[in-house]
Amino acid sequence: MRTLVDAPFPSTFKVLKATMAEFPALNGQSVAYAVLEFPGNTVNPPHTHPRASELLFVLMGSLDVGFGLVHFQFNGGANNTALALSAFGSASPGAVSVPNSVFNSTIDENMLALSFKTDVATIHKIKSGLSG
């Protein structure tokens, strides 16, 4: 987390994690943290944490937050930055991105189009946007 001190704010959404993977001393401690940096108009896409509950503290700015098993954070202020700290009830919370899990999967494109009430061409556009 020291890299945050006097560092310029990023131009894209950025997460700095302190979990057991980055900090092995957390093994057995049932806690992990993440610092989330949101430049204007950026999103932490819908996701879940399969092994933990999350508590989010907005430290600077403001965020639109979707609560639930699947949740997200969005900084809709075009010229405003936001900074948040997430605390997890596990040293290894994990993160599963919903867009990647759905659209970068082996689920048939026709099934996706039917499920989202759209067409296969739109599914292709979504998939191409996630690969970049």
Short mmCIF file of all heavy atoms in Angstrom, two decimals, residues 40-114:
data_model
loop_
_atom_site.label_atom_id
_atom_site.label_comp_id
_atom_site.label_asym_id
_atom_site.label_seq_id
_atom_site.Cartn_x
_atom_site.Cartn_y
_atom_site.Cartn_z
N GLY A 40 -12.75 9.62 -13.00
CA GLY A 40 -14.10 9.91 -13.43
C GLY A 40 -14.62 8.93 -14.47
O GLY A 40 -13.87 8.44 -15.31
N ASN A 41 -15.92 8.63 -14.38
CA ASN A 41 -16.61 7.74 -15.32
C ASN A 41 -15.98 6.36 -15.43
O ASN A 41 -15.83 5.82 -16.52
CB ASN A 41 -16.72 8.38 -16.71
CG ASN A 41 -17.74 9.48 -16.73
OD1 ASN A 41 -18.73 9.44 -16.01
ND2 ASN A 41 -17.52 10.48 -17.56
N THR A 42 -15.59 5.78 -14.31
CA THR A 42 -15.05 4.42 -14.33
C THR A 42 -15.89 3.52 -13.43
O THR A 42 -16.60 3.98 -12.54
CB THR A 42 -13.57 4.37 -13.87
OG1 THR A 42 -13.46 4.93 -12.56
CG2 THR A 42 -12.67 5.14 -14.83
N VAL A 43 -15.78 2.23 -13.68
CA VAL A 43 -16.62 1.26 -12.99
C VAL A 43 -15.78 0.06 -12.55
O VAL A 43 -14.82 -0.33 -13.22
CB VAL A 43 -17.78 0.79 -13.89
CG1 VAL A 43 -17.29 0.02 -15.12
CG2 VAL A 43 -18.79 -0.04 -13.12
N ASN A 44 -16.12 -0.46 -11.40
CA ASN A 44 -15.67 -1.78 -10.99
C ASN A 44 -16.83 -2.68 -11.39
O ASN A 44 -17.88 -2.67 -10.75
CB ASN A 44 -15.41 -1.83 -9.49
CG ASN A 44 -14.82 -3.15 -9.03
OD1 ASN A 44 -14.51 -4.02 -9.83
ND2 ASN A 44 -14.68 -3.30 -7.72
N PRO A 45 -16.69 -3.43 -12.50
CA PRO A 45 -17.83 -4.16 -13.08
C PRO A 45 -18.48 -5.13 -12.09
O PRO A 45 -17.86 -5.52 -11.10
CB PRO A 45 -17.20 -4.93 -14.24
CG PRO A 45 -15.93 -4.22 -14.56
CD PRO A 45 -15.45 -3.66 -13.24
N PRO A 46 -19.72 -5.52 -12.38
CA PRO A 46 -20.41 -6.47 -11.51
C PRO A 46 -19.54 -7.71 -11.24
O PRO A 46 -18.94 -8.26 -12.16
CB PRO A 46 -21.66 -6.84 -12.31
CG PRO A 46 -21.92 -5.64 -13.16
CD PRO A 46 -20.55 -5.13 -13.52
N HIS A 47 -19.48 -8.08 -9.95
CA HIS A 47 -18.63 -9.20 -9.55
C HIS A 47 -19.14 -9.78 -8.24
O HIS A 47 -20.01 -9.20 -7.59
CB HIS A 47 -17.17 -8.74 -9.40
CG HIS A 47 -16.97 -7.68 -8.36
ND1 HIS A 47 -17.25 -6.34 -8.59
CD2 HIS A 47 -16.54 -7.75 -7.07
CE1 HIS A 47 -17.00 -5.65 -7.50
NE2 HIS A 47 -16.57 -6.48 -6.55
N THR A 48 -18.57 -10.90 -7.86
CA THR A 48 -18.86 -11.52 -6.58
C THR A 48 -17.54 -11.89 -5.91
O THR A 48 -16.49 -11.93 -6.55
CB THR A 48 -19.70 -12.82 -6.73
OG1 THR A 48 -18.92 -13.79 -7.43
CG2 THR A 48 -20.99 -12.57 -7.46
N HIS A 49 -17.61 -12.15 -4.62
CA HIS A 49 -16.47 -12.67 -3.86
C HIS A 49 -16.91 -14.01 -3.27
O HIS A 49 -17.67 -14.05 -2.29
CB HIS A 49 -16.05 -11.70 -2.75
CG HIS A 49 -15.70 -10.35 -3.28
ND1 HIS A 49 -14.52 -10.10 -3.95
CD2 HIS A 49 -16.39 -9.19 -3.29
CE1 HIS A 49 -14.50 -8.84 -4.32
NE2 HIS A 49 -15.63 -8.26 -3.94
N PRO A 50 -16.46 -15.12 -3.86
CA PRO A 50 -16.98 -16.43 -3.47
C PRO A 50 -16.61 -16.88 -2.05
O PRO A 50 -17.28 -17.76 -1.51
CB PRO A 50 -16.39 -17.38 -4.51
CG PRO A 50 -15.19 -16.67 -5.05
CD PRO A 50 -15.49 -15.20 -4.96
N ARG A 51 -15.59 -16.29 -1.47
CA ARG A 51 -15.15 -16.75 -0.15
C ARG A 51 -15.18 -15.67 0.93
O ARG A 51 -14.53 -15.81 1.97
CB ARG A 51 -13.74 -17.34 -0.26
CG ARG A 51 -13.66 -18.59 -1.12
CD ARG A 51 -12.25 -19.12 -1.25
NE ARG A 51 -11.35 -18.20 -1.93
CZ ARG A 51 -11.25 -18.06 -3.26
NH1 ARG A 51 -12.02 -18.76 -4.05
NH2 ARG A 51 -10.39 -17.22 -3.79
N ALA A 52 -15.93 -14.58 0.69
CA ALA A 52 -15.90 -13.51 1.69
C ALA A 52 -17.08 -12.55 1.55
O ALA A 52 -17.65 -12.40 0.48
CB ALA A 52 -14.60 -12.71 1.57
N SER A 53 -17.38 -11.90 2.65
CA SER A 53 -18.25 -10.73 2.65
C SER A 53 -17.36 -9.51 2.51
O SER A 53 -16.17 -9.56 2.85
CB SER A 53 -19.02 -10.63 3.97
OG SER A 53 -19.87 -11.74 4.12
N GLU A 54 -17.92 -8.41 2.02
CA GLU A 54 -17.13 -7.20 1.78
C GLU A 54 -17.79 -6.02 2.46
O GLU A 54 -19.01 -5.86 2.44
CB GLU A 54 -17.04 -6.94 0.27
CG GLU A 54 -16.32 -5.67 -0.11
CD GLU A 54 -16.25 -5.48 -1.61
OE1 GLU A 54 -16.92 -6.20 -2.37
OE2 GLU A 54 -15.51 -4.58 -2.04
N LEU A 55 -16.96 -5.18 3.04
CA LEU A 55 -17.41 -3.91 3.60
C LEU A 55 -16.65 -2.81 2.87
O LEU A 55 -15.40 -2.81 2.88
CB LEU A 55 -17.13 -3.87 5.10
CG LEU A 55 -17.58 -2.64 5.87
CD1 LEU A 55 -19.09 -2.46 5.76
CD2 LEU A 55 -17.18 -2.77 7.32
N LEU A 56 -17.36 -1.90 2.22
CA LEU A 56 -16.74 -0.86 1.40
C LEU A 56 -16.84 0.49 2.10
O LEU A 56 -17.92 0.90 2.52
CB LEU A 56 -17.46 -0.78 0.04
CG LEU A 56 -16.92 0.27 -0.93
CD1 LEU A 56 -15.64 -0.22 -1.59
CD2 LEU A 56 -17.97 0.59 -1.98
N PHE A 57 -15.70 1.16 2.23
CA PHE A 57 -15.64 2.51 2.79
C PHE A 57 -15.22 3.47 1.67
O PHE A 57 -14.15 3.30 1.10
CB PHE A 57 -14.59 2.61 3.90
CG PHE A 57 -14.87 1.75 5.10
CD1 PHE A 57 -14.30 0.51 5.20
CD2 PHE A 57 -15.72 2.20 6.10
CE1 PHE A 57 -14.55 -0.30 6.31
CE2 PHE A 57 -15.98 1.40 7.21
CZ PHE A 57 -15.39 0.15 7.30
N VAL A 58 -16.05 4.46 1.38
CA VAL A 58 -15.67 5.48 0.41
C VAL A 58 -14.90 6.55 1.17
O VAL A 58 -15.43 7.21 2.06
CB VAL A 58 -16.91 6.08 -0.30
CG1 VAL A 58 -16.48 7.18 -1.28
CG2 VAL A 58 -17.68 4.98 -1.03
N LEU A 59 -13.63 6.69 0.83
CA LEU A 59 -12.73 7.60 1.54
C LEU A 59 -12.68 9.00 0.93
O LEU A 59 -12.39 9.98 1.62
CB LEU A 59 -11.32 7.02 1.57
CG LEU A 59 -11.19 5.62 2.18
CD1 LEU A 59 -9.79 5.08 1.95
CD2 LEU A 59 -11.53 5.65 3.65
N MET A 60 -12.94 9.07 -0.39
CA MET A 60 -12.86 10.35 -1.09
C MET A 60 -13.82 10.29 -2.28
O MET A 60 -13.90 9.27 -2.96
CB MET A 60 -11.43 10.57 -1.59
CG MET A 60 -11.21 11.85 -2.38
SD MET A 60 -9.51 12.02 -2.96
CE MET A 60 -9.50 10.86 -4.32
N GLY A 61 -14.54 11.37 -2.52
CA GLY A 61 -15.46 11.41 -3.65
C GLY A 61 -16.76 10.70 -3.32
O GLY A 61 -17.13 10.55 -2.16
N SER A 62 -17.43 10.26 -4.37
CA SER A 62 -18.68 9.52 -4.17
C SER A 62 -18.79 8.44 -5.24
O SER A 62 -18.21 8.55 -6.32
CB SER A 62 -19.89 10.46 -4.24
OG SER A 62 -19.98 11.05 -5.51
N LEU A 63 -19.54 7.38 -4.91
CA LEU A 63 -19.73 6.24 -5.80
C LEU A 63 -21.19 5.83 -5.79
O LEU A 63 -21.86 5.93 -4.77
CB LEU A 63 -18.89 5.04 -5.35
CG LEU A 63 -17.38 5.16 -5.39
CD1 LEU A 63 -16.73 3.96 -4.71
CD2 LEU A 63 -16.90 5.27 -6.84
N ASP A 64 -21.66 5.35 -6.94
CA ASP A 64 -22.92 4.63 -7.00
C ASP A 64 -22.55 3.17 -6.77
O ASP A 64 -21.65 2.64 -7.44
CB ASP A 64 -23.57 4.78 -8.37
CG ASP A 64 -24.03 6.20 -8.65
OD1 ASP A 64 -24.44 6.88 -7.68
OD2 ASP A 64 -23.98 6.61 -9.81
N VAL A 65 -23.23 2.53 -5.82
CA VAL A 65 -22.87 1.17 -5.44
C VAL A 65 -24.08 0.27 -5.53
O VAL A 65 -25.15 0.61 -5.02
CB VAL A 65 -22.30 1.14 -4.00
CG1 VAL A 65 -21.95 -0.27 -3.57
CG2 VAL A 65 -21.07 2.04 -3.90
N GLY A 66 -23.92 -0.87 -6.20
CA GLY A 66 -24.96 -1.89 -6.24
C GLY A 66 -24.65 -2.93 -5.18
O GLY A 66 -23.53 -3.45 -5.13
N PHE A 67 -25.61 -3.19 -4.30
CA PHE A 67 -25.41 -4.14 -3.20
C PHE A 67 -26.01 -5.49 -3.53
O PHE A 67 -27.00 -5.57 -4.26
CB PHE A 67 -26.06 -3.61 -1.91
CG PHE A 67 -25.34 -2.44 -1.32
CD1 PHE A 67 -25.82 -1.17 -1.48
CD2 PHE A 67 -24.19 -2.64 -0.59
CE1 PHE A 67 -25.17 -0.08 -0.92
CE2 PHE A 67 -23.52 -1.56 -0.03
CZ PHE A 67 -24.02 -0.27 -0.20
N GLY A 68 -25.44 -6.52 -2.97
CA GLY A 68 -25.98 -7.87 -3.11
C GLY A 68 -24.87 -8.85 -3.32
O GLY A 68 -23.69 -8.50 -3.27
N LEU A 69 -25.24 -10.08 -3.60
CA LEU A 69 -24.24 -11.10 -3.91
C LEU A 69 -23.41 -10.63 -5.11
O LEU A 69 -22.20 -10.63 -5.08
CB LEU A 69 -24.90 -12.44 -4.21
CG LEU A 69 -23.95 -13.55 -4.64
CD1 LEU A 69 -22.96 -13.88 -3.54
CD2 LEU A 69 -24.71 -14.78 -5.06
N VAL A 70 -24.10 -10.19 -6.16
CA VAL A 70 -23.44 -9.55 -7.29
C VAL A 70 -23.51 -8.05 -7.04
O VAL A 70 -24.58 -7.50 -6.81
CB VAL A 70 -24.14 -9.90 -8.63
CG1 VAL A 70 -23.51 -9.14 -9.78
CG2 VAL A 70 -24.09 -11.41 -8.88
N HIS A 71 -22.37 -7.39 -7.04
CA HIS A 71 -22.32 -5.96 -6.73
C HIS A 71 -21.33 -5.25 -7.63
O HIS A 71 -20.54 -5.88 -8.32
CB HIS A 71 -22.00 -5.75 -5.25
CG HIS A 71 -20.72 -6.39 -4.82
ND1 HIS A 71 -20.61 -7.74 -4.52
CD2 HIS A 71 -19.48 -5.89 -4.65
CE1 HIS A 71 -19.36 -8.02 -4.19
NE2 HIS A 71 -18.66 -6.91 -4.26
N PHE A 72 -21.38 -3.91 -7.61
CA PHE A 72 -20.50 -3.09 -8.45
C PHE A 72 -20.31 -1.74 -7.78
O PHE A 72 -21.02 -1.39 -6.83
CB PHE A 72 -21.12 -2.89 -9.84
CG PHE A 72 -22.38 -2.07 -9.81
CD1 PHE A 72 -22.34 -0.69 -9.95
CD2 PHE A 72 -23.61 -2.68 -9.62
CE1 PHE A 72 -23.50 0.07 -9.88
CE2 PHE A 72 -24.78 -1.93 -9.56
CZ PHE A 72 -24.72 -0.56 -9.69
N GLN A 73 -19.35 -0.97 -8.29
CA GLN A 73 -19.16 0.42 -7.88
C GLN A 73 -18.92 1.24 -9.15
O GLN A 73 -18.23 0.79 -10.06
CB GLN A 73 -17.96 0.59 -6.95
CG GLN A 73 -18.06 -0.17 -5.64
CD GLN A 73 -17.44 -1.54 -5.70
OE1 GLN A 73 -16.49 -1.78 -6.43
NE2 GLN A 73 -17.97 -2.47 -4.93
N PHE A 74 -19.50 2.45 -9.18
CA PHE A 74 -19.39 3.31 -10.36
C PHE A 74 -19.17 4.75 -9.93
O PHE A 74 -19.89 5.27 -9.08
CB PHE A 74 -20.67 3.21 -11.20
CG PHE A 74 -20.73 4.17 -12.35
CD1 PHE A 74 -19.80 4.11 -13.38
CD2 PHE A 74 -21.73 5.12 -12.41
CE1 PHE A 74 -19.85 4.99 -14.44
CE2 PHE A 74 -21.80 6.02 -13.48
CZ PHE A 74 -20.86 5.94 -14.49
N ASN A 75 -18.16 5.38 -10.51
CA ASN A 75 -17.91 6.80 -10.30
C ASN A 75 -18.43 7.53 -11.52
O ASN A 75 -17.78 7.58 -12.56
CB ASN A 75 -16.42 7.08 -10.11
CG ASN A 75 -16.13 8.56 -9.93
OD1 ASN A 75 -17.04 9.37 -9.82
ND2 ASN A 75 -14.86 8.92 -9.92
N GLY A 76 -19.63 8.09 -11.41
CA GLY A 76 -20.26 8.78 -12.53
C GLY A 76 -19.84 10.22 -12.71
O GLY A 76 -20.25 10.87 -13.65
N GLY A 77 -19.00 10.72 -11.83
CA GLY A 77 -18.53 12.11 -11.95
C GLY A 77 -17.41 12.19 -12.98
O GLY A 77 -16.32 11.69 -12.76
N ALA A 78 -17.69 12.82 -14.10
CA ALA A 78 -16.71 12.87 -15.19
C ALA A 78 -15.38 13.50 -14.78
O ALA A 78 -14.31 13.08 -15.22
CB ALA A 78 -17.28 13.64 -16.38
N ASN A 79 -15.42 14.51 -13.92
CA ASN A 79 -14.20 15.22 -13.53
C ASN A 79 -13.81 14.99 -12.08
O ASN A 79 -12.96 15.70 -11.56
CB ASN A 79 -14.39 16.72 -13.78
CG ASN A 79 -14.64 17.02 -15.24
OD1 ASN A 79 -13.94 16.51 -16.12
ND2 ASN A 79 -15.66 17.81 -15.52
N ASN A 80 -14.42 14.01 -11.44
CA ASN A 80 -14.14 13.75 -10.03
C ASN A 80 -13.54 12.37 -9.83
O ASN A 80 -13.94 11.42 -10.48
CB ASN A 80 -15.44 13.85 -9.21
CG ASN A 80 -16.06 15.23 -9.30
OD1 ASN A 80 -15.36 16.23 -9.28
ND2 ASN A 80 -17.37 15.27 -9.41
N THR A 81 -12.60 12.29 -8.94
CA THR A 81 -12.01 11.01 -8.60
C THR A 81 -12.66 10.49 -7.32
O THR A 81 -13.24 11.25 -6.55
CB THR A 81 -10.48 11.13 -8.40
OG1 THR A 81 -10.23 12.10 -7.39
CG2 THR A 81 -9.79 11.54 -9.69
N ALA A 82 -12.56 9.20 -7.12
CA ALA A 82 -13.06 8.58 -5.90
C ALA A 82 -12.05 7.54 -5.44
O ALA A 82 -11.37 6.91 -6.24
CB ALA A 82 -14.43 7.94 -6.12
N LEU A 83 -11.98 7.38 -4.13
CA LEU A 83 -11.07 6.43 -3.51
C LEU A 83 -11.86 5.63 -2.48
O LEU A 83 -12.61 6.21 -1.69
CB LEU A 83 -9.91 7.17 -2.83
CG LEU A 83 -8.82 6.33 -2.17
CD1 LEU A 83 -8.01 5.59 -3.22
CD2 LEU A 83 -7.92 7.23 -1.34
N ALA A 84 -11.71 4.32 -2.50
CA ALA A 84 -12.44 3.47 -1.55
C ALA A 84 -11.53 2.40 -0.99
O ALA A 84 -10.53 2.02 -1.60
CB ALA A 84 -13.65 2.84 -2.24
N LEU A 85 -11.90 1.91 0.18
CA LEU A 85 -11.20 0.81 0.83
C LEU A 85 -12.21 -0.30 1.08
O LEU A 85 -13.27 -0.05 1.65
CB LEU A 85 -10.61 1.28 2.17
CG LEU A 85 -9.94 0.19 3.02
CD1 LEU A 85 -8.63 -0.25 2.37
CD2 LEU A 85 -9.70 0.69 4.43
N SER A 86 -11.88 -1.50 0.62
CA SER A 86 -12.73 -2.66 0.88
C SER A 86 -12.06 -3.53 1.92
O SER A 86 -10.85 -3.79 1.84
CB SER A 86 -12.93 -3.48 -0.40
OG SER A 86 -13.82 -2.85 -1.27
N ALA A 87 -12.84 -4.00 2.87
CA ALA A 87 -12.38 -4.96 3.88
C ALA A 87 -13.15 -6.24 3.66
O ALA A 87 -14.37 -6.22 3.43
CB ALA A 87 -12.63 -4.42 5.29
N PHE A 88 -12.45 -7.37 3.70
CA PHE A 88 -13.05 -8.67 3.44
C PHE A 88 -12.92 -9.57 4.66
O PHE A 88 -11.92 -9.52 5.36
CB PHE A 88 -12.36 -9.36 2.26
CG PHE A 88 -12.45 -8.57 0.98
CD1 PHE A 88 -11.42 -7.74 0.59
CD2 PHE A 88 -13.57 -8.66 0.18
CE1 PHE A 88 -11.49 -7.02 -0.59
CE2 PHE A 88 -13.66 -7.94 -1.01
CZ PHE A 88 -12.62 -7.12 -1.39
N GLY A 89 -13.90 -10.43 4.87
CA GLY A 89 -13.90 -11.37 5.98
C GLY A 89 -13.21 -12.67 5.64
O GLY A 89 -13.65 -13.74 6.06
N SER A 90 -12.14 -12.60 4.86
CA SER A 90 -11.35 -13.77 4.47
C SER A 90 -10.00 -13.27 3.99
O SER A 90 -9.90 -12.21 3.39
CB SER A 90 -12.04 -14.54 3.34
OG SER A 90 -11.18 -15.50 2.78
N ALA A 91 -8.96 -14.05 4.22
CA ALA A 91 -7.64 -13.70 3.70
C ALA A 91 -7.52 -14.00 2.22
O ALA A 91 -6.57 -13.59 1.56
CB ALA A 91 -6.55 -14.44 4.48
N SER A 92 -8.50 -14.73 1.68
CA SER A 92 -8.51 -15.10 0.27
C SER A 92 -9.93 -14.97 -0.28
O SER A 92 -10.59 -15.97 -0.58
CB SER A 92 -8.00 -16.54 0.12
OG SER A 92 -7.95 -16.91 -1.23
N PRO A 93 -10.40 -13.72 -0.45
CA PRO A 93 -11.80 -13.53 -0.83
C PRO A 93 -12.15 -13.96 -2.25
O PRO A 93 -13.26 -14.37 -2.53
CB PRO A 93 -12.02 -12.03 -0.65
CG PRO A 93 -10.67 -11.43 -0.77
CD PRO A 93 -9.72 -12.46 -0.24
N GLY A 94 -11.19 -13.85 -3.16
CA GLY A 94 -11.46 -14.15 -4.55
C GLY A 94 -12.35 -13.09 -5.17
O GLY A 94 -12.98 -12.30 -4.47
N ALA A 95 -12.39 -13.06 -6.48
CA ALA A 95 -13.28 -12.16 -7.21
C ALA A 95 -13.66 -12.85 -8.51
O ALA A 95 -12.79 -13.36 -9.22
CB ALA A 95 -12.60 -10.82 -7.50
N VAL A 96 -14.94 -12.87 -8.80
CA VAL A 96 -15.45 -13.46 -10.03
C VAL A 96 -16.16 -12.36 -10.80
O VAL A 96 -17.19 -11.84 -10.34
CB VAL A 96 -16.40 -14.64 -9.75
CG1 VAL A 96 -16.96 -15.19 -11.05
CG2 VAL A 96 -15.69 -15.73 -8.96
N SER A 97 -15.61 -11.99 -11.95
CA SER A 97 -16.20 -10.95 -12.79
C SER A 97 -17.40 -11.53 -13.54
O SER A 97 -17.28 -12.51 -14.27
CB SER A 97 -15.16 -10.46 -13.80
OG SER A 97 -15.77 -9.67 -14.80
N VAL A 98 -18.56 -10.93 -13.35
CA VAL A 98 -19.76 -11.41 -14.02
C VAL A 98 -19.65 -11.26 -15.54
O VAL A 98 -19.92 -12.23 -16.27
CB VAL A 98 -21.03 -10.74 -13.46
CG1 VAL A 98 -22.26 -11.11 -14.28
CG2 VAL A 98 -21.21 -11.12 -12.00
N PRO A 99 -19.25 -10.09 -16.07
CA PRO A 99 -19.15 -10.00 -17.53
C PRO A 99 -18.23 -11.05 -18.14
O PRO A 99 -18.59 -11.70 -19.13
CB PRO A 99 -18.61 -8.58 -17.77
CG PRO A 99 -19.06 -7.82 -16.57
CD PRO A 99 -18.98 -8.80 -15.42
N ASN A 100 -17.06 -11.26 -17.55
CA ASN A 100 -16.15 -12.26 -18.09
C ASN A 100 -16.69 -13.67 -17.92
O ASN A 100 -16.55 -14.51 -18.80
CB ASN A 100 -14.77 -12.16 -17.43
CG ASN A 100 -13.99 -10.99 -17.98
OD1 ASN A 100 -14.10 -10.65 -19.15
ND2 ASN A 100 -13.20 -10.36 -17.14
N SER A 101 -17.33 -13.94 -16.78
CA SER A 101 -17.87 -15.28 -16.53
C SER A 101 -18.99 -15.63 -17.51
O SER A 101 -19.17 -16.79 -17.87
CB SER A 101 -18.41 -15.39 -15.11
OG SER A 101 -17.36 -15.25 -14.19
N VAL A 102 -19.74 -14.63 -17.93
CA VAL A 102 -20.86 -14.88 -18.84
C VAL A 102 -20.41 -14.84 -20.30
O VAL A 102 -20.70 -15.75 -21.08
CB VAL A 102 -21.98 -13.85 -18.60
CG1 VAL A 102 -23.08 -13.97 -19.64
CG2 VAL A 102 -22.56 -14.03 -17.20
N PHE A 103 -19.70 -13.78 -20.68
CA PHE A 103 -19.42 -13.57 -22.10
C PHE A 103 -18.10 -14.16 -22.58
O PHE A 103 -17.91 -14.32 -23.78
CB PHE A 103 -19.50 -12.07 -22.43
CG PHE A 103 -20.89 -11.53 -22.26
CD1 PHE A 103 -21.22 -10.79 -21.15
CD2 PHE A 103 -21.86 -11.81 -23.20
CE1 PHE A 103 -22.51 -10.30 -20.98
CE2 PHE A 103 -23.16 -11.34 -23.03
CZ PHE A 103 -23.48 -10.58 -21.93
N ASN A 104 -17.19 -14.48 -21.71
CA ASN A 104 -15.95 -15.17 -22.10
C ASN A 104 -16.02 -16.60 -21.60
O ASN A 104 -15.13 -17.07 -20.90
CB ASN A 104 -14.72 -14.45 -21.53
CG ASN A 104 -14.44 -13.15 -22.26
OD1 ASN A 104 -14.81 -12.98 -23.41
ND2 ASN A 104 -13.81 -12.22 -21.58
N SER A 105 -17.09 -17.26 -21.95
CA SER A 105 -17.33 -18.61 -21.48
C SER A 105 -17.69 -19.50 -22.67
O SER A 105 -17.68 -19.06 -23.82
CB SER A 105 -18.49 -18.63 -20.47
OG SER A 105 -19.71 -18.34 -21.14
N THR A 106 -18.02 -20.73 -22.38
CA THR A 106 -18.43 -21.66 -23.44
C THR A 106 -19.95 -21.67 -23.63
O THR A 106 -20.46 -22.51 -24.36
CB THR A 106 -17.94 -23.08 -23.11
OG1 THR A 106 -18.50 -23.47 -21.85
CG2 THR A 106 -16.43 -23.14 -23.05
N ILE A 107 -20.65 -20.73 -23.01
CA ILE A 107 -22.10 -20.64 -23.19
C ILE A 107 -22.38 -20.27 -24.65
O ILE A 107 -21.80 -19.34 -25.21
CB ILE A 107 -22.73 -19.59 -22.26
CG1 ILE A 107 -22.48 -19.94 -20.79
CG2 ILE A 107 -24.23 -19.47 -22.53
CD1 ILE A 107 -22.91 -18.86 -19.80
N ASP A 108 -23.26 -21.03 -25.27
CA ASP A 108 -23.62 -20.82 -26.68
C ASP A 108 -24.11 -19.39 -26.90
O ASP A 108 -24.91 -18.87 -26.11
CB ASP A 108 -24.72 -21.82 -27.07
CG ASP A 108 -25.13 -21.67 -28.51
OD1 ASP A 108 -24.38 -22.11 -29.39
OD2 ASP A 108 -26.21 -21.07 -28.74
N GLU A 109 -23.63 -18.76 -27.97
CA GLU A 109 -24.00 -17.36 -28.26
C GLU A 109 -25.49 -17.19 -28.51
O GLU A 109 -26.07 -16.15 -28.17
CB GLU A 109 -23.19 -16.85 -29.45
CG GLU A 109 -21.71 -16.71 -29.11
CD GLU A 109 -20.86 -16.35 -30.30
OE1 GLU A 109 -21.32 -16.46 -31.45
OE2 GLU A 109 -19.71 -15.95 -30.07
N ASN A 110 -26.15 -18.19 -29.09
CA ASN A 110 -27.60 -18.11 -29.30
C ASN A 110 -28.32 -18.11 -27.96
O ASN A 110 -29.31 -17.39 -27.78
CB ASN A 110 -28.08 -19.27 -30.18
CG ASN A 110 -27.59 -19.14 -31.60
OD1 ASN A 110 -27.81 -18.12 -32.24
ND2 ASN A 110 -26.89 -20.15 -32.08
N MET A 111 -27.82 -18.91 -27.02
CA MET A 111 -28.41 -18.95 -25.67
C MET A 111 -28.23 -17.61 -24.98
O MET A 111 -29.14 -17.11 -24.33
CB MET A 111 -27.77 -20.07 -24.86
CG MET A 111 -28.23 -20.10 -23.43
SD MET A 111 -29.96 -20.43 -23.29
CE MET A 111 -29.88 -22.05 -22.65
N LEU A 112 -27.05 -16.99 -25.13
CA LEU A 112 -26.81 -15.67 -24.54
C LEU A 112 -27.74 -14.62 -25.15
O LEU A 112 -28.32 -13.81 -24.44
CB LEU A 112 -25.35 -15.25 -24.72
CG LEU A 112 -24.32 -16.01 -23.89
CD1 LEU A 112 -22.91 -15.60 -24.30
CD2 LEU A 112 -24.53 -15.77 -22.41
N ALA A 113 -27.89 -14.67 -26.48
CA ALA A 113 -28.76 -13.71 -27.16
C ALA A 113 -30.20 -13.85 -26.66
O ALA A 113 -30.87 -12.85 -26.36
CB ALA A 113 -28.68 -13.89 -28.67
N LEU A 114 -30.68 -15.07 -26.54
CA LEU A 114 -32.04 -15.29 -26.03
C LEU A 114 -32.17 -14.83 -24.58
O LEU A 114 -33.15 -14.20 -24.20
CB LEU A 114 -32.41 -16.77 -26.14
CG LEU A 114 -32.71 -17.29 -27.55
CD1 LEU A 114 -32.79 -18.82 -27.54
CD2 LEU A 114 -33.98 -16.67 -28.08
#
